[in-house]
Amino acid sequence: MLCSWRVKLKLLLATITLAVLLSWLYLFVGSLEYGRFLLLPPCLGEQPSRDVEREALASQVRRVEEENQQLRMQLGQVQAEGSDGNPQWAASAEDGPPLGGERNNRTACPKQRMDLTVLCRKKPLLHVAIVCAGHNASRDVVTLVKSILFHRKNPLHFHFITDSVAHQILQTLFQSWMVPSIHVSFYNADDLKPEVSWIPNKHYSGIYGLMKLTLTKALPSNLSKVIVLDTDITFQVIGLVENQSDWYLGNLWKNHKPWPALGRGFNTGVILLLLDRLRRLGWEQMWRLTAERELMSMLSTSLADQDIFNAVIKQNPALVYRLPCFWNVQLSDHTRSELCYTEVSDLKVIHWNSPKKLRVKNKHVEFFRNLYLTFLEYDGNLLRRELFGCASLPSPPSDQLQQALEELDEDDPCYDFRRQHLTQHRVHLFFLQYEFLALPNPTDVTLVAQLSMDRLQMLEAICKHWAGPISLALYMSDAEAQQFLRYAQASEVLSARRNVAYHIVYKEGQFYPINLLRNVALANTQTPYVFLTDIDFLPMYGLYDYLRNSIQQLELPHRKAALIVPAFETLHYRLTFPKSKAELLSMLDMGSLYTFRYHVWPKGHAPTDYAKWRTATVPYRVAWQPDFEPYVVVRRDCPKYDQRFVGFGWNKVSHIMELDAQEYELLVLPNAFMIHMPHAPSFDISKFRLSAGYRGCLQTLREEFHQDLSRKYGAAALKYLTAERNL
């Protein structure tokens, strides 16, 4: 027990000192004019011969080496200054145009016009560049970002080189996260692919593993230095260190022939780049010449950009400055990483640089794994903290939210409802691998639903009943999201599907934001039509094909209509699911099935007219009635759900009312059905039943919704208010 407390104390001390170390390292690199990996834009004008080019580059390198000799003399002075550093080395050159300008492949999220360095003069702005592509890498980036935000004491500017998938995921995440003093820019990886696509690469990272070679071209020309990180990093700080395996020594197995490297070589999972020096030196030309020469004998890279970086350094040792290895503790097979630390406080960066990731064999892997899991499951809401002594950038969304919160009356009995409506939830789209539809069928339809952790068991059953695309919004904590990930990866049914989109909406507040979840799932569908359902319903077998045929037969592309799927329920947890309408009617007559909520809320589905449905063979039209809340198929561009309704009550009723206000036809499908499966009551429905205040606030929200509907649709909406008063 004493040992355990000592370890925790050391870990606490490491955390306290980390922010200071992070700032010191960045300033330290600035003071060195860090000569490590240099990147250069294409040369203009006539192309000299290959020999002349190399001689010119060699001359430049000699000049750099002479400069570095002088700069190394300054190292002792910088180290003596400690964490305060020298301001002359701190600021990055970022006085150019606002983010999002200048280059076509850049986008900023969100646009800011005021320089962070102006707002935080004593806390220099740190720039971090990350290459990220695909769903899995985007998920890994979140853990990396959490570890950085946990330890930071400086404003940060993240530069993401992404494909379209990662761009959408990360842009939505940062916009919804709303972390103060954080700026994010995106650069289109597709624009950079021609720069490296000619290089054969055996590494599992593919073409994106070569993108770091292009950073001088990708990043703004006025950016002088940047920290470059792999997505499999967990922060305790940053650095550039020697490779900790024997890979480049060439003795791992017989006939092992690695790329040339200086000694053990250098690991490029963590890089500090002096971009201005790189551009002056002519990095792009340098690495291209080196790669072309080595590929003549090596044929391909094995470790992506790392091989090329090391080959350049082998030829030009003056380009690199070595840092202690605890700035990049590499957890790969055959690693010597345990030589990098003796205490917890020694750890700065943990790098899972093996394809095995958390399953790698290492003497202290359990400790490192637990440290990684700490950030994996850490509540990201806690990282929305202001930096002391650092003013926040103007942000219209943030300012509008703050103003709306200030206008709330805390003495209002419904304050908690109104506060929940304004809560800004973090959103991580496409949490798992998803295959986007290139050209969706014009009659295709996506099942849309939302759920929390207690309904997770319904996913496999729904996937067995519905073969088409599915869009789900999951309301979870950070820890629950990781439990879901493990559950989905272990499930044969779920892991086999690539057309199910899972969107995590992270928990915050006391009410279940049901209509926010529905809107997130709805907004991220790709098919022209959506089937708006709830997670505790099982659609009939073959409903996906039946709906597509019905959409075509009813010519829905040329009319505004909502197709109603009649809802039934069972009180039995085990049910022999009916394979046809005839079987369902038989079970209905026998009492093993019921029309949905007939005994507690008949108004919700009575307008479906179940008596007519029993004998119907063609779709029939029904009229809207108060409290009608059927499950419908509509076009994807249908009205959004009203997000003021949280928890239980009126969340679907209000949506159907607006569909009717927009003059949607309500058509009941004669051969479609869905069955509600039993489950324990939700926490919100229990509050609705037990709290008169809850029910009173719901009534207030209903009245306000009616007023807003009247303002929006005019006299046509008066019938809803009249119907409400006649109840």
Side-chain angles (χ1 to χ4, degrees):
M1 179 65 71
L2 181 59
C3 180
S4 174
W5 277 106
R6 286 177 177 173
V7 170
K8 291 180 179 178
L9 179 59
K10 291 174 181 177
L11 185 58
L12 177 60
L13 291 173
T15 300
I16 294 173
T17 59
L18 177 59
V20 176
L21 289 171
L22 176 57
S23 300
W24 176 86
L25 181 62
Y26 196 79
L27 300 180
F28 166 72
V29 171
S31 69
L32 289 177
E33 286 264 66
Y34 181 70
R36 185 319 177 285
F37 307 147
L38 310 173
L39 303 165
L40 153 106
C43 293
L44 301 176
E46 296 182 2
Q47 297 296 323
S49 69
R50 190 65 56 88
D51 293 338
V52 174
E53 288 176 343
R54 295 187 182 188
E55 196 155 322
L57 289 171
S59 175
Q60 287 178 297
V61 170
R62 283 194 296 271
R63 288 198 301 272
V64 170
E65 186 170 9
E66 293 173 359
E67 293 175 8
N68 281 351
Q69 289 176 356
Q70 298 177 355
L71 292 170
R72 286 190 180 97
M73 296 175 61
Q74 300 173 3
L75 172 59
Q77 300 175 3
V78 176
Q79 289 175 321
E81 290 169 359
S83 60
D84 290 336
N86 189 331
Q88 66 175 313
W89 305 112
S92 293
E94 177 138 33
D95 298 322
L99 294 169
E102 186 177 350
R103 296 185 184 273
N104 291 332
N105 66 333
R106 299 180 59 212
T107 57
C109 163
K111 284 190 176 182
Q112 308 286 3
R113 296 191 176 274
M114 191 175 295
D115 196 338
L116 275 167
T117 57
V118 174
L119 295 170
C120 307
R121 293 186 182 278
K122 294 184 179 180
K123 298 180 179 179
L125 174 65
L126 307 185
H127 292 267
V128 179
I130 301 171
V131 178
C132 181
H135 303 84
N136 295 335
S138 299
R139 202 169 55 242
D140 293 338
V141 160
V142 176
T143 307
L144 165 61
V145 170
K146 280 184 183 179
S147 67
I148 295 173
L149 295 180
F150 182 85
H151 293 295
R152 69 145 181 167
K153 62 182 298 184
N154 290 62
L156 298 172
H157 186 157
F158 288 101
H159 301 264
F160 288 106
I161 292 86
T162 64
D163 64 354
S164 58
V165 171
H167 185 181
Q168 181 185 11
I169 294 172
L170 295 177
Q171 186 174 51
T172 302
L173 177 67
F174 277 97
Q175 285 178 342
S176 59
W177 206 339
M178 299 180 72
V179 182
S181 302
I182 293 294
H183 206 131
V184 185
S185 295
F186 293 94
Y187 309 82
N188 189 352
D190 288 341
D191 294 339
L192 302 172
K193 285 182 179 179
E195 305 295 323
V196 293
S197 59
W198 56 275
I199 304 174
N201 179 27
K202 294 180 180 179
H203 194 257
Y204 61 85
S205 59
I207 192 171
Y208 298 100
L210 299 164
M211 290 287 179
K212 285 182 283 186
L213 293 165
T214 71
L215 288 180
T216 48
K217 184 172 185 178
L219 298 180
S221 59
N222 63 326
L223 181 59
S224 64
K225 57 178 176 276
V226 67
I227 303 164
V228 187
L229 302 177
D230 277 355
T231 59
D232 52 3
I233 294 289
T234 303
F235 252 75
Q236 303 284 89
V237 187
I238 57 175
L240 170 73
V241 304
E242 185 180 56
N243 202 46
Q244 292 158 21
S245 77
D246 294 341
W247 177 272
Y248 287 109
L249 298 181
N251 59 9
L252 292 182
W253 58 79
K254 187 177 180 180
N255 299 325
H256 175 219
K257 185 183 178 183
W259 276 56
L262 190 65
R264 291 184 174 277
F266 293 88
N267 182 279
T268 59
V270 180
I271 314 174
L272 302 175
L273 298 179
L274 268 188
L275 296 172
D276 50 357
R277 294 280 301 281
L278 290 166
R279 292 175 179 123
R280 291 200 303 268
L281 182 62
W283 165 256
E284 185 171 321
Q285 192 176 5
M286 179 182 289
W287 75 256
R288 282 178 176 274
L289 291 173
T290 302
E292 289 172 359
R293 181 185 66 243
E294 297 300 333
L295 284 171
M296 293 178 67
S297 59
M298 299 303 299
L299 303 182
S300 67
T301 61
S302 296
L303 299 181
D305 66 272
Q306 183 168 298
D307 285 337
I308 298 175
F309 276 126
N310 276 288
V312 174
I313 293 171
K314 171 73 172 179
Q315 189 175 3
N316 308 287
L319 297 182
V320 67
Y321 189 89
R322 300 170 186 258
L323 290 176
C325 64
F326 49 69
W327 296 109
N328 183 356
V329 178
Q330 302 152 35
L331 302 181
S332 59
D333 291 332
H334 314 293
T335 184
R336 302 164 70 246
S337 60
E338 61 188 73
L339 301 178
C340 298
Y341 54 89
T342 57
E343 302 286 346
V344 173
S345 58
D346 293 338
L347 298 171
K348 312 303 179 205
V349 175
I350 301 169
H351 186 187
W352 302 89
N353 63 318
S354 166
K356 299 177 183 178
K357 300 305 178 188
L358 300 187
R359 300 188 302 276
V360 70
K361 294 181 180 179
N362 182 279
K363 183 177 181 180
H364 302 122
V365 69
E366 284 299 322
F367 172 80
F368 292 123
R369 186 183 293 119
N370 290 336
L371 194 59
Y372 176 81
L373 293 176
T374 298
F375 289 111
L376 196 68
E377 301 184 356
Y378 189 83
D379 185 353
N381 297 327
L382 301 178
L383 299 171
R384 288 170 166 162
R385 56 184 176 84
E386 297 280 353
L387 291 178
F388 290 113
C390 187
S392 297
L393 280 169
S395 169
S398 179
D399 295 344
Q400 291 170 8
L401 176 61
Q402 187 60 37
Q403 182 178 353
L405 290 172
E406 292 174 356
E407 291 174 354
L408 292 180
D409 180 4
E410 294 189 16
D411 295 327
D412 182 351
C414 303
Y415 171 83
D416 290 337
F417 285 85
R418 304 189 193 283
R419 179 67 178 80
Q420 183 73 57
H421 176 213
L422 295 175
T423 298
Q424 182 67 39
H425 294 269
R426 284 178 297 136
V427 178
H428 187 137
L429 302 178
F430 302 102
F431 195 66
L432 299 182
Q433 191 76 25
Y434 180 79
E435 293 182 0
F436 290 86
L437 301 172
L439 292 172
N441 188 296
T443 61
D444 209 354
V445 58
T446 298
L447 185 150
V448 174
Q450 41 70 39
L451 69 151
S452 53
M453 197 68 178
D454 59 346
R455 298 289 191 272
L456 209 57
Q457 73 281 358
M458 289 295 298
L459 291 182
E460 288 191 353
I462 287 178
C463 285
K464 291 177 181 178
H465 281 246
W466 180 273
I470 301 174
S471 181
L472 300 172
L474 299 87
Y475 192 55
M476 295 180 170
S477 66
D478 293 74
E480 287 174 339
Q482 297 308 313
Q483 295 176 38
F484 160 70
L485 175 62
R486 293 190 288 270
Y487 171 81
Q489 291 175 336
S491 167
E492 292 184 8
V493 175
L494 301 186
S495 61
R497 295 286 292 268
R498 288 290 181 269
N499 63 347
V500 181
Y502 302 98
H503 313 295
I504 305 296
V505 177
Y506 288 101
K507 284 184 175 180
E508 188 169 3
Q510 61 173 302
F511 295 108
Y512 185 74
I514 186 166
N515 279 354
L516 167 66
L517 297 172
R518 286 174 170 146
N519 285 336
V520 169
L522 175 60
N524 291 283
T525 57
Q526 287 184 290
T527 57
Y529 294 90
V530 289
F531 173 33
L532 306 177
T533 182
D534 279 336
I535 198 66
D536 36 18
F537 278 89
L538 289 181
M540 74 176 196
Y541 290 111
L543 182 61
Y544 174 57
D545 291 331
Y546 177 78
L547 291 180
R548 289 190 297 171
N549 291 333
S550 298
I551 290 170
Q552 184 174 6
Q553 293 170 3
L554 294 170
E555 299 182 338
L556 245 60
H558 306 294
R559 61 196 294 192
K560 186 183 285 188
L563 306 184
I564 296 173
V565 178
F568 299 84
E569 69 176 324
T570 178
L571 303 181
H572 304 289
Y573 284 89
R574 292 187 177 182
L575 174 71
T576 301
F577 202 89
K579 296 181 175 60
S580 65
K581 179 178 179 178
E583 284 190 21
L584 180 136
L585 290 174
S586 176
M587 296 173 71
L588 199 61
D589 293 337
M590 294 173 59
S592 55
L593 287 179
Y594 307 92
T595 56
F596 185 55
R597 292 291 186 260
Y598 82 99
H599 55 304
V600 293
W601 185 245
K603 293 187 295 184
H605 293 267
T608 300
D609 196 349
Y610 288 99
K612 184 173 183 176
W613 182 83
R614 294 179 69 102
T615 58
T617 57
V618 295
Y620 58 93
R621 186 168 181 173
V622 295
W624 173 87
Q625 295 182 34
D627 296 322
F628 193 24
E629 52 176 2
Y631 295 95
V632 297
V633 176
V634 290
R635 288 192 61 84
R636 182 179 57 187
D637 59 0
C638 68
K640 293 182 179 180
Y641 288 88
D642 193 300
Q643 293 178 192
R644 83 185 79 197
F645 295 105
V646 296
F648 177 81
W650 249 61
N651 44 73
K652 289 196 308 295
V653 171
S654 56
H655 189 247
I656 296 300
M657 187 179 295
E658 187 152 11
L659 290 179
D660 184 67
Q662 292 194 8
E663 300 181 341
Y664 275 72
E665 296 180 77
L666 301 177
L667 301 175
V668 180
L669 296 174
N671 294 306
F673 61 85
M674 57 197 297
I675 299 178
H676 180 266
M677 304 304 293
H679 56 75
S682 68
F683 182 56
D684 285 300
I685 196 172
S686 298
K687 288 193 290 186
F688 173 82
R689 291 170 177 171
L690 297 174
S691 171
Y694 191 113
R695 296 190 296 273
C697 285
L698 181 59
Q699 179 61 34
T700 299
L701 296 178
R702 290 168 61 173
E703 293 171 357
E704 293 174 357
F705 174 77
H706 278 300
Q707 295 170 7
D708 291 342
L709 208 62
S710 297
R711 282 191 288 267
K712 189 174 183 179
Y713 298 104
L718 292 177
K719 70 173 184 178
Y720 308 113
L721 186 58
T722 302
E724 179 79 8
R725 290 171 177 171
N726 290 336
L727 291 178

